Amino acid sequence: MAKLFEPLQLGKLNLKNRIVMAPMCMYAVHKEDGVLTPFHEAHYASRAIGGASLIILEASAVSPEGRITDQDLGIYSDQQTDKLKTLVRVLHELGSKAGIQLAHAGRKAEDAEDLVAPSALAYSAQYHTPNALTAEGIEKIIQDFKNSAARAQEAGFDVIQVHAAHGYLINQFISPLTNQRTDEYGPQTLENRFRLLKEVLLAVKSVFQGSVWVRFSASDYDENSTTLEEFDQMNQWLETLSVDAVDVSTGGLLPKRPDSIYPGYQTQYAKRFKERSNLFISTVGKLGDPSLANYILEDGQADLISLGRPLLRNPNWPAFAAKALHDKNYVPYNHSYGRGFNE
Ligand SMILES: Cc1cc2nc3c(=O)[nH]c(=O)nc-3n(C[C@H](O)[C@H](O)[C@H](O)COP(=O)(O)O)c2cc1C
């Protein structure tokens, strides 16, 4: 059996293979109420039928003001939670585990009137300048994450992924480029910069019994931002906090891109994290070539392959990968789908 299709026991979580659907905002909530629509239900269910072991729902805001846009999903109202509960049941019925990415956009909220961030520094000239969060404001955000985690528990999710990547609020606290505070959350020490994430994780874990993951941007593509040695230290702290896994992405803090984006371009960071921590590590970024994805696992560079765009292109990517890797043991959710790949 190709490594891609080997099961993985990740703490309490049993995954049937190594293929994870990465969180991807669909910006499809047209009523601006943060509630799942029939589109979302079909979209996620299709990837479960397609065979991904874990479906991580898109960045879902912990409060209305924490949304990137008014079309984002939220997990702060009863109506949202009811619909999420139904979707989780469907994903389970279709053989996948269900995760949700909890997020607050901070200074990258595009539609909010009043933006908040660690410091009053705009993302770019096209964005509003945020207000620096007060101590009460920080406390409310931690409470929002806790309330959303309790809703995720009620909805039956197996995984919460805390969004600490891509330049959203938690990433803004971690980087010294976006955090100029003078209190205990300020950039004077790494411990201070990590404090919001730590408090969010403690709050989430106090109400959520499933698996807790973190998504990091391991590089902000600026030599003055968080260093890899600092990520090594934060990964150790995550272990102490009993975080189960880290999904390793990059970028988004600044309007900067890496010089070159090529298949597996972010896996170097996952490999480093895997070598230097005991966390389960997921890698992401242009991994749609099944041989490359399988090689990364065989070579021990990561435990899981997260796929974004490959699963947008092809919800049945796992069956496509099984065919490409000549894995005869792969069984599609519905046997008739086999005819699409074997005849
Ligand atoms: C349409 C779209 C929406 C995305 N939304 C999110 C998101 O909600 N949260 C997140 O952490 N990353 C988001 N991403 C990034 C993906 O999760 C993934 O890291 C990125 O696309 C690279 O992986 P890929 O090459 O497999 O697509 C998004 C990407 C796409 C293409």
Side-chain angles (χ1 to χ4, degrees):
M1 182 193 283
K3 189 103 182 166
L4 200 52
F5 298 103
E6 279 184 14
L8 180 68
Q9 188 70 40
L10 197 157
K12 296 164 268 184
L13 181 71
N14 183 257
L15 296 177
K16 66 181 175 186
N17 61 43
R18 308 301 182 95
I19 304 163
V20 175
M21 181 177 182
M24 283 181 286
C25 280
M26 293 292 105
Y27 305 114
V29 182
H30 299 300
K31 283 193 184 161
E32 304 189 1
D33 56 4
V35 178
L36 283 169
T37 65
F39 162 74
H40 293 98
E41 289 160 2
H43 168 69
Y44 289 114
S46 303
R47 276 73 193 172
I49 290 172
S53 66
L54 169 65
I55 310 283
I56 303 186
L57 267 61
E58 63 200 83
S60 300
V62 297
S63 62
E65 62 278 9
R67 291 175 297 173
I68 305 167
T69 74
D70 291 343
Q71 283 69 49
D72 291 13
L73 290 184
I75 177 162
Y76 48 81
S77 80
D78 290 347
Q79 203 193 352
Q80 293 162 356
T81 310
D82 285 348
K83 285 276 188 183
L84 288 167
K85 197 183 286 180
T86 306
L87 176 60
V88 170
R89 236 189 347 255
V90 169
L91 297 181
H92 285 165
E93 173 69 31
L94 296 172
S96 294
K97 298 289 196 284
I100 186 163
Q101 188 183 52
L102 298 189
H104 190 299
R107 72 174 188 163
K108 286 178 78 178
E110 294 172 21
D111 295 338
E113 292 285 313
D114 291 316
L115 278 59
V116 292
S119 303
L121 299 165
Y123 173 67
S124 74
Q126 284 72 48
Y127 281 70
H128 296 297
T129 301
N131 295 310
L133 275 159
T134 59
E136 297 74 48
I138 292 177
E139 228 168 84
K140 178 185 179 296
I141 283 167
I142 295 165
Q143 189 60 46
D144 288 340
F145 271 93
K146 184 175 177 177
N147 294 343
S148 294
R151 290 182 180 282
Q153 176 69 32
E154 187 194 335
F157 281 102
D158 305 286
V159 172
I160 283 180
Q161 184 183 84
V162 173
H163 201 350
H166 300 167
Y168 295 110
L169 185 72
I170 296 175
N171 196 171
Q172 293 159 28
F173 272 82
I174 290 171
S175 172
L177 299 181
T178 41
N179 180 348
Q180 298 181 345
R181 300 180 71 83
T182 52
D183 61 5
E184 70 271 28
Y185 294 90
Q188 299 76 16
T189 64
L190 182 62
E191 216 173 347
N192 281 0
R193 286 154 54 196
F194 181 76
R195 194 177 307 282
L196 177 65
L197 176 56
K198 177 179 148 188
E199 291 177 350
V200 162
L201 289 168
L202 288 171
V204 165
K205 287 191 77 82
S206 72
V207 293
F208 183 72
Q209 269 99 58
S211 189
V212 175
W213 298 23
V214 168
R215 190 172 229 203
F216 271 144
S217 280
S219 173
D220 297 317
Y221 300 108
D222 187 303
E223 60 185 19
N224 297 315
S225 197
T226 314
T227 65
L228 287 171
E229 290 72 24
E230 289 176 328
F231 277 106
D232 294 338
Q233 174 63 70
M234 289 192 285
N235 286 336
Q236 288 194 5
W237 289 334
L238 294 187
E239 282 183 46
T240 312
L241 292 164
S242 301
V243 164
D244 294 295
V246 171
D247 187 23
V248 193
S249 186
T250 67
L253 184 77
L254 308 166
K256 283 184 175 182
R257 308 262 294 163
D259 295 334
S260 160
I261 294 182
Y262 49 88
Y265 72 107
Q266 297 179 139
T267 298
Q268 55 182 306
Y269 303 104
K271 181 169 185 273
R272 180 192 172 100
F273 284 16
K274 177 115 186 85
E275 282 166 359
R276 291 166 191 240
S277 79
N278 295 310
L279 296 157
F280 287 96
I281 298 296
S282 164
T283 180
V284 67
K286 288 187 88 72
L287 299 175
D289 174 346
S291 301
L292 173 62
N294 196 54
Y295 165 74
I296 288 167
L297 297 172
E298 291 283 1
D299 198 46
Q301 299 178 24
D303 301 294
L304 291 160
I305 301 294
S306 289
L307 299 172
R309 290 162 295 181
L311 281 174
L312 292 184
R313 284 194 286 276
N314 181 3
N316 297 306
W317 187 92
F320 157 74
K323 173 98 174 156
L325 296 171
H326 308 290
D327 192 318
K328 301 255 185 303
N329 299 319
Y330 184 78
V331 182
Y333 176 78
N334 179 296
H335 61 86
S336 291
Y337 277 48
R339 297 185 62 181
F341 290 88
N342 298 321
E343 287 179 8

